[in-house]
Amino acid sequence: MFGLQHIWGCIMQYEAMLRSPYFPVLFSFTVYMSFCLPFVVLDALSARVALIRRYKIQQKTNVSWTMIWSCLALSLYNHAVYIFPLSVLNWYWRPVSYPAMAPGVLQVVWDLAACLLLFDFQYFVWHLLHHKVPWLYRTFHKVHHKYTSTFALATEYSGAWETLSLGFFAAVNPMLLGVHPMTEMLFHILNMWLSVEDHCGYDLPWATHRLVPFGLYGGAPHHDVHHQRFKSNYAPYFTHWDKLFGTLHSE
């Protein structure tokens, strides 16, 4: 508790910045790019460094600078045109209250797990529908499947509807579950990391799916299969929903 209280106290020194209508969009884009950048470096080196390429899931594919700039441009556009105005409206309609006390460690872990599992279920249902209903796929989700070989910056390569609807799930879940603002920040950071890792295109020794036992977590190989085959592995993170619905496929 003391450690979290100290961290929360440090965060609260920047309370004025946290209350700014610009903070959510800057926070989102900065965290996203920070997570993508190491994988962009790996992509730039993988064609020349065998040690890096051995961990690449689709070893015969390369990520070009054209692909990188295309994804970056669309992500910037979505943040500026869609996410920022909605962040301002949310700031206006829902002022955030910051309590003086930090949450307990066990409460943080419990709430993070709840937020993540709820998002995983929502994404699975959304994703399944947008593949099973041809109109939904053609109209909204097809953009994200432009690249059949995943790479980090393709994480947010999506149209307005997909960006906003999945962003809505991520934003509303902490409110529904009544979590502490610190836990909400941690959830957004964790959610972005897992999403980028899902699309990174590398099966690294320290990847999340190697740390979670019993095949409960799919990770980058699980999602890469989805981008190759389109008709399997709809859940973003965990594997239980795909197992229940018979849509789980390995490489």
Side-chain angles (χ1 to χ4, degrees):
M1 177 66 180
F2 176 77
L4 288 183
Q5 188 61 47
H6 176 72
I7 295 170
W8 183 239
C10 293
I11 293 172
M12 281 296 91
Q13 293 179 17
Y14 302 95
E15 185 175 353
M17 183 182 72
L18 296 177
R19 293 185 181 278
S20 167
Y22 303 101
F23 175 74
V25 69
L26 291 174
F27 173 80
S28 172
F29 190 73
T30 302
V31 172
Y32 173 64
M33 289 306 301
S34 299
F35 288 154
C36 285
L37 187 58
F39 294 112
V40 172
V41 173
L42 290 182
D43 288 334
L45 296 174
S46 64
R48 296 184 293 275
V49 182
L51 180 62
I52 296 174
R53 198 165 190 84
R54 67 181 290 190
Y55 294 111
K56 193 169 173 60
I57 296 170
Q58 297 190 42
Q59 296 190 0
K60 294 182 180 180
T61 63
N62 291 302
V63 179
S64 69
W65 287 109
T66 301
M67 295 160 66
I68 288 173
W69 289 119
S70 176
C71 291
L72 184 58
L74 184 57
S75 182
L76 279 167
Y77 177 82
N78 285 338
H79 275 81
V81 176
Y82 301 114
I83 297 175
F84 174 63
L86 289 176
S87 297
V88 173
L89 288 174
N90 183 65
W91 167 83
Y92 179 77
W93 282 325
R94 182 185 168 250
V96 182
S97 175
Y98 294 104
M101 296 299 294
V105 174
L106 292 179
Q107 189 64 51
V108 169
V109 172
W110 175 266
D111 288 343
L112 280 176
C115 285
L116 203 60
L117 287 167
L118 180 56
F119 180 82
D120 190 73
F121 168 70
Q122 293 162 332
Y123 193 121
F124 173 79
V125 174
W126 186 97
H127 204 183
L128 186 66
L129 286 173
H130 282 71
H131 274 271
K132 296 298 184 182
V133 180
W135 180 81
L136 289 175
Y137 179 80
R138 289 194 310 269
T139 309
F140 300 116
H141 190 49
K142 188 177 180 180
V143 174
H144 185 65
H145 278 278
K146 177 179 179 179
Y147 301 108
T148 55
S149 177
T150 53
F151 58 101
L153 281 169
T155 304
E156 291 191 358
Y157 192 82
S158 55
W161 167 250
E162 181 162 349
T163 299
L164 294 177
S165 55
L166 297 181
F168 173 77
F169 295 148
V172 78
N173 287 352
M175 288 189 288
L176 289 175
L177 297 172
V179 307
H180 191 281
M182 184 181 186
T183 308
E184 183 175 355
M185 290 181 199
L186 290 172
F187 166 66
H188 290 310
I189 292 170
L190 177 62
N191 197 34
M192 275 188 272
W193 164 251
L194 295 178
S195 188
V196 168
E197 188 189 43
D198 256 11
H199 290 84
C200 73
Y202 292 89
D203 187 0
L204 297 168
W206 54 82
T208 306
H209 71 278
R210 294 186 177 276
L211 302 177
V212 178
F214 312 120
L216 297 174
Y217 190 89
H222 176 264
H223 197 66
D224 194 84
V225 169
H226 172 75
H227 273 260
Q228 290 183 64
R229 297 185 178 180
F230 297 179
K231 296 181 179 181
S232 61
N233 300 359
Y234 297 111
Y237 306 139
F238 301 100
T239 57
H240 54 277
W241 291 115
D242 281 305
K243 287 178 181 176
L244 285 170
F245 282 80
T247 54
L248 181 67
H249 292 281
S250 59
E251 56 191 301

